Amino acid sequence: MGSTSTKIKLRTSDQKVFEVEKAVAVQSQTIKYIYENGCPDSVIHVHSVSGDILSKILDYCKKHVNSAAGKEDISPEELYEWDANFVKVDQNTLFDLILAANCLKIESLLDLTCQTVANMIKGKRPEEIRTTFNIKNDYTIEAEEAVRRENKWAFDMLGGVGTMVIEELADDTMSKCVTNAKSRVCVIAANQIVMMRSISKLANKKSIDVYKQPQNPTTPRIKESVKQINVGTGFIELFFHFKCKM
Amino acid sequence: MQKEMAYSFPDEVLKHVFSFIQSDKDRNAVSLVCKSWYEIERWCRRKVFIGNCYAVSPRMVIRRFPEVRSIELKGKPHFADFNLVPDGWGGYVLQWIAEMAGAYPWLGEIRLKRMVVTDESLELIAKSFKNFKVLVLFSCEGFSTDGLAAIAASCKNLRELDLRESEVDDLSGHWLAQFPETCTSLVSLNISCLGSDEVSFSALERLVDRCPNLRSLQLNRAVTLDKIANILRRAPQLVDFGTGNYAAELQPDVFSNLAGAFSSCKELKSLSGFWDVVPAYLPALYSICPRLTSLNLSYATIQSPDLIKLVSHCPRLQRLLVLDYVEDSGLEELASSCKDLQELRVFPSDPFGVEPNVSLTEQGLVAVSLGCPKLQSVLYFCRRMSNAALVTIAQNCPNLTRFRLCIIEPKTPDYLTLEPLDAGFGAIVEHCKDLRRLSLSGLLTDHVFEYIGTYGKKLEMLSVAFAGDSDLGLHHVLSGCESLRKLEIRDCPFGDKALLANAAKLETMRSLWMSSCAVSFGACKLLGQKMPKLNVEVIDETEPPDSRPESYPVDKLYIYRSVAGPRFDMPPFVWSMDEAVKILH
């Protein structure tokens, strides 16, 4: 009797019951903890997650477990695309996914969904962000003006995209990538030089596929032919430290 | 029906979302969405950039962002580079360090530009921040190698020490030996500005030896050519290398050793240094030239034929800094060999000579504009220019983001037509729609400012000298350039009218510098009264401005917006127009 055929039962907030393989279910640190510390035969209640959302989450976990275990023939590129499609949902669903990923402690899914929300925020003015997320502006006019002034006068940088030259990779950024990760894929913004030596060193010679992000964020990512370093499942975006050389 | 995001997300989730948002602009936008986002964002902002150290106080920064790990500060105005800002003006970092020492025990990175850094400041940094990793002192001054010794000795995980273009009181080279044997974390070391004849080279060698992650190393002039091979063999992983002086008697074994050492550096992409070059040693670089993307020869007195040979080996070059010895012929070679060129800077070898000493004219720049389609950034010193050449350059390079032209003799007209260069610069601003930085020179009337005001909608920084006829010129710029943030002007007939009429504009800019113009003391006082949130500072080293009639023009004027109010560290020759300060002064 292999542990891979063990099933766990999950009951959602709307009383739906899902029976899933243990390997898939324990992608959630919360479920893993309950399973290992509770009674393995009874049903685990996931109070805060609805059936629809759990169903999607289990799809995600299954996909990632299978591809990591080699059960599914899917290239990192394809998995990345699958993830990108996974988050192409309406906003309510996305928010439900974030809350569920947070509550169930599925780190890679939380990263994926939070990154998606972050992308919805970047480049927008505050009014646009409020509209996108239907947030009420509770600033008084004076308070808002004071913050706006301080932001602009004290904490404002000139310039759009300049001649960016990578000075070096910030080690803590790199180690964030590696320790969080479970990444098979890492995406670098355009015009940035990748120090493969440091990636492999910090990744302890595991494999990451490195993708370059093009200037136009809507065009698909282009895979750079670099050394493969496997680290696991999931998706993470690397942020590089760089300085503007004027 | 959409949910209200702010109420349904726990703080830690929002924090996680914000951790994917790095740019200051986006973070600033986030802080304005609503009050709870402001709160969450301010606790997780780790990196702060302050473009003018007097625009905000350390206390205000600490109060708003309690968990900063990285800070960048800029002090003196840009014209300090041309000796227009007297010594003692300000830009002291000590108070910042002192306040941050208490508030940010985990501060890991300090980057400063044009600030006065004392040994006391460096010692305080060494003592206060246990996790200190990065110190960049760009064009700073006020410290000695004693302060550096403190940093070297205490900062156990130092990754980056970069002293580019700083003025260091070089007391001894032994500070390098202060890096403990346990320090193996260096990634970047730039000591190119140090003058000392005795850099402790053995200490340097041992340091390089034990730092396997060293990527960037810039030596100083005192390091001789024969030592380069030793260093490179210890650090074949270098990406960016600056030589010391590049001169020695030509000896075959020294040459082959050097060439071999360079060729073992498979990742080397960027070179600099090259003081006192002996051209016979340049071929030692040929093996790495095909990979080079950046070459800084701004100290190298190499003549054009040798430069041509060198450049022709570097097809991937993106950035070239060079002296005008390159001449038009060298730039023509650059244009044909280096199709990836993005940035070109040509410096004058003899700026104070009356007659040109080299054959570098506008033709060189025109050739590069034609041959290098990716050209974005230009700094060019020359002695003659024409409107036709500027129009050609503008049409060839519509993607220019920075264009700084310095015709050495002020008020030089178009050499072909003897007309002002208004039309030429007008073409630049008209065609280069993404132009962010522009420096003007040559004979220019108010017309050029009309063009700039009309077309320079993305212009953020403008430098003007010996140009214009009247206040109308200044008015065009202040009223037309929507994105203008930094304006620096010297020796132009701009007076009170344009400044006072556009006073409100000054609150949308980081700073305005005007020296040897026609702004009266009375206008400065009026501006100070009208715009209390601006710091209006008059600089006069000869005598107090109120000892003369109010209509008398001030020598130098520096105006900047600030949320911190007037500063109190002004030297006696700087006069604040703020009412409160005047009483105390």
Side-chain angles (χ1 to χ4, degrees), chain B residues 150 212 281 353 424 496 562:
Chain B
Y281 276 102
D496 300 347
S562 175

Side-chain angles (χ1 to χ4, degrees), chain B residues 12 31 39 51 53 67 83 110 158 185 201 231 251 273-274 325 343 354 363 371 378 409 506-507 548 557:
Chain B
E12 79 251 20
S31 72
E39 269 308 296
C53 66
E67 305 257 321
N83 296 324
I110 296 176
L158 196 66
S185 49
F201 193 74
I231 287 281
Q251 288 171 311
F274 295 109
Y325 292 127
E343 180 176 353
V354 174
Q363 292 306 318
V378 170
E409 185 61 33
L506 298 177
E507 277 191 359
R548 296 186 294 246
L557 175 60

Side-chain angles (χ1 to χ4, degrees), chain B residues 379-401:
Chain B
L379 170 59
Y380 199 74
F381 282 81
C382 59
R383 288 175 191 275
R384 75 175 202 205
M385 187 49 66
S386 68
N387 282 310
L390 283 171
V391 170
T392 305
I393 293 165
Q395 287 169 341
N396 289 340
C397 295
N399 295 322
L400 282 176
T401 53

Side-chain angles (χ1 to χ4, degrees), chain B residues 299-522:
Chain B
Y299 296 108
T301 50
I302 320 175
Q303 302 300 314
S304 184
D306 296 308
L307 277 168
I308 289 178
K309 269 196 235 134
L310 186 60
V311 155
S312 66
H313 281 86
C314 305
R316 293 236 182 95
L317 208 58
Q318 293 173 15
R319 189 165 181 258
L320 177 66
L321 281 66
V322 72
L323 285 168
D324 58 7
Y325 292 127
V326 67
E327 298 193 326
D328 289 341
S329 51
L331 292 177
E332 276 151 29
E333 175 62 39
L334 184 70
S336 73
S337 300
C338 304
K339 295 303 181 187
D340 285 343
L341 197 72
Q342 292 177 22
E343 180 176 353
L344 175 66
R345 297 193 188 204
V346 179
F347 296 102
S349 51
D350 181 22
F352 304 112
V354 174
E355 290 301 316
N357 58 326
V358 291
S359 174
L360 178 99
T361 70
E362 82 286 3
Q363 292 306 318
L365 187 57
V366 171
V368 174
S369 76
L370 193 55
C372 303
K374 297 187 190 171
L375 195 64
Q376 276 183 28
S377 172
V378 170
L379 170 59
Y380 199 74
F381 282 81
C382 59
R383 288 175 191 275
R384 75 175 202 205
M385 187 49 66
S386 68
N387 282 310
L390 283 171
V391 170
T392 305
I393 293 165
Q395 287 169 341
N396 289 340
C397 295
N399 295 322
L400 282 176
T401 53
R402 295 177 194 82
F403 187 72
R404 298 156 73 185
L405 180 67
C406 305
I407 306 169
I408 290 171
E409 185 61 33
K411 304 198 189 178
T412 306
D414 176 328
Y415 78 98
L416 294 169
T417 64
L418 297 183
E419 283 173 358
L421 290 171
D422 300 337
F425 279 105
I428 294 279
V429 287
E430 192 183 342
H431 286 97
C432 305
K433 306 216 187 293
D434 291 324
L435 196 69
R436 294 200 332 265
R437 183 169 179 180
L438 178 64
S439 297
L440 304 173
S441 57
L443 181 65
L444 296 164
T445 72
D446 285 345
H447 282 308
V448 74
F449 299 108
E450 204 181 337
Y451 291 130
I452 293 172
T454 306
Y455 295 109
K457 294 306 178 189
K458 293 216 179 137
L459 200 61
E460 293 178 341
M461 183 169 176
L462 179 64
S463 308
V464 186
F466 300 97
D469 309 311
S470 74
D471 269 47
L472 201 50
L474 181 57
H475 177 71
H476 283 311
V477 170
L478 290 178
S479 57
C481 296
E482 292 158 5
S483 308
L484 194 64
R485 299 286 238 288
K486 292 200 282 190
L487 179 57
E488 44 185 27
I489 303 172
R490 61 164 295 184
D491 294 278
C492 295
F494 299 147
D496 300 347
K497 280 207 304 235
L499 201 56
L500 291 173
N502 291 284
K505 172 75 175 174
L506 298 177
E507 277 191 359
T508 69
M509 289 166 54
R510 187 185 287 174
S511 65
L512 168 65
W513 169 280
M514 292 180 75
S515 55
S516 307
C517 294
V519 179
S520 71
F521 182 57

Side-chain angles (χ1 to χ4, degrees), chain B residues 51-190:
Chain B
N52 175 0
C53 66
Y54 290 119
V56 66
S57 71
R59 197 153 303 170
M60 293 168 112
V61 176
I62 292 166
R63 195 170 63 207
R64 177 151 173 202
F65 301 119
E67 305 257 321
V68 166
R69 305 280 159 90
S70 163
I71 191 159
E72 184 172 345
L73 285 164
K74 292 189 177 180
K76 298 187 204 176
H78 172 241
F79 270 179
D81 289 356
F82 308 111
N83 296 324
L84 287 174
V85 177
D87 279 342
W89 172 87
Y92 305 105
V93 82
L94 183 60
Q95 177 161 28
W96 285 88
I97 308 290
E99 301 222 30
M100 292 191 301
Y104 297 148
W106 294 108
L107 189 69
E109 304 181 1
I110 296 176
R111 294 177 170 82
L112 305 174
K113 189 171 183 182
R114 289 196 201 97
M115 292 199 77
V116 177
V117 181
T118 55
D119 283 348
E120 189 186 349
S121 309
L122 293 176
E123 282 149 22
L124 197 51
I125 291 173
K127 204 163 60 173
S128 314
F129 306 116
K130 299 296 164 227
N131 198 32
F132 199 68
K133 297 209 174 102
V134 173
L135 183 63
V136 177
L137 303 177
F138 188 166
S139 270
C140 294
E141 54 169 3
F143 60 102
S144 78
T145 45
D146 286 352
L148 296 177
I151 297 281
S154 305
C155 300
K156 309 218 175 318
N157 295 310
L158 196 66
R159 260 192 0 229
E160 209 177 314
L161 180 61
D162 184 340
L163 308 173
R164 67 180 74 180
E165 292 175 49
S166 290
E167 270 179 48
V168 185
D169 199 1
D170 211 335
L171 301 174
S172 103
H174 294 301
W175 69 274
L176 266 170
Q178 294 301 311
F179 280 107
E181 289 303 310
T182 48
C183 172
T184 58
S185 49
L186 271 185
V187 173
S188 171
L189 179 64
N190 182 338

